[in-house]
């Protein structure tokens, strides 16, 4: 592990990571019609707009539907939004998505 002069994790040629925050939560998404999205929020103390968010999810959510899109971002101070979308109907045609509940982990880094 490489640290910069301030003791922050600094992989070669990357901006130093000055803070790491993490939280887990069981999120539930209902059935999604074509073109719809649903969101749930997770409290991640210290998260701020512009921080890097990495979403970890159980295989049940990751493989729930072939064409789903699941993203995460800091939507307000101390809050990360996890969003599941059914983009079908725009480029590809596929059925409506079923409901799913899964535990997700949010790792947030500040550079």
């Amino acid at each position: 592990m490489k640290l910069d002069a301030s003791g922050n994790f600094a992989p070669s040629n990357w901006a130093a990571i000055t803070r790491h925050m993490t939280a887990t939560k069981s999120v539930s998404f209902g059935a999604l019609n074509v073109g719809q999205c649903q969101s749930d929020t997770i409290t991640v103390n210290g998260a701020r707009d512009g921080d890097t968010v990495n979403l970890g999810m159980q295989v049940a959510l990751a493989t729930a539907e072939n064409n789903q899109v699941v993203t995460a971002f800091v939507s307000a101070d101390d809050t990360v939004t996890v969003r599941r979308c059914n983009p079908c109907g725009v480029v590809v045609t596929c059925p409506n998505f079923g409901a799913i509940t899964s535990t997700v982990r949010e790792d947030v880094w500040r550079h």
Side-chain angles (χ1 to χ4, degrees):
M1 176 170 24
K2 181 180 175 187
L3 302 178
D4 68 9
S6 299
N8 298 312
F9 179 59
S12 298
N13 300 319
W14 293 8
I17 298 172
T18 62
R19 185 164 182 193
H20 173 251
M21 298 139 280
T22 189
T24 60
K25 179 183 176 185
S26 178
V27 296
S28 294
F29 297 106
L32 279 177
N33 292 328
V34 170
Q36 287 186 324
C37 294
Q38 293 177 351
S39 299
D40 200 349
T41 59
I42 300 174
T43 299
V44 182
N45 292 323
R48 298 294 180 262
D49 184 30
D51 286 347
T52 302
V53 177
N54 183 45
L55 172 64
M57 66 185 88
Q58 295 175 317
V59 71
L61 177 58
T63 62
E65 303 291 345
N66 284 334
N67 294 300
Q68 72 180 349
V69 177
V70 182
T71 59
F73 58 95
V74 176
S75 53
D77 285 355
D78 304 318
T79 304
V80 171
T81 294
V82 179
R83 182 171 290 153
R84 179 181 184 229
C85 295
N86 179 345
C88 295
V90 178
V91 178
V92 295
T93 302
C94 58
N96 295 337
F97 291 172
I100 183 82
T101 298
S102 180
T103 298
V104 297
R105 171 176 297 278
E106 297 299 337
D107 285 298
V108 179
W109 292 282
R110 177 151 317 126
H111 296 271

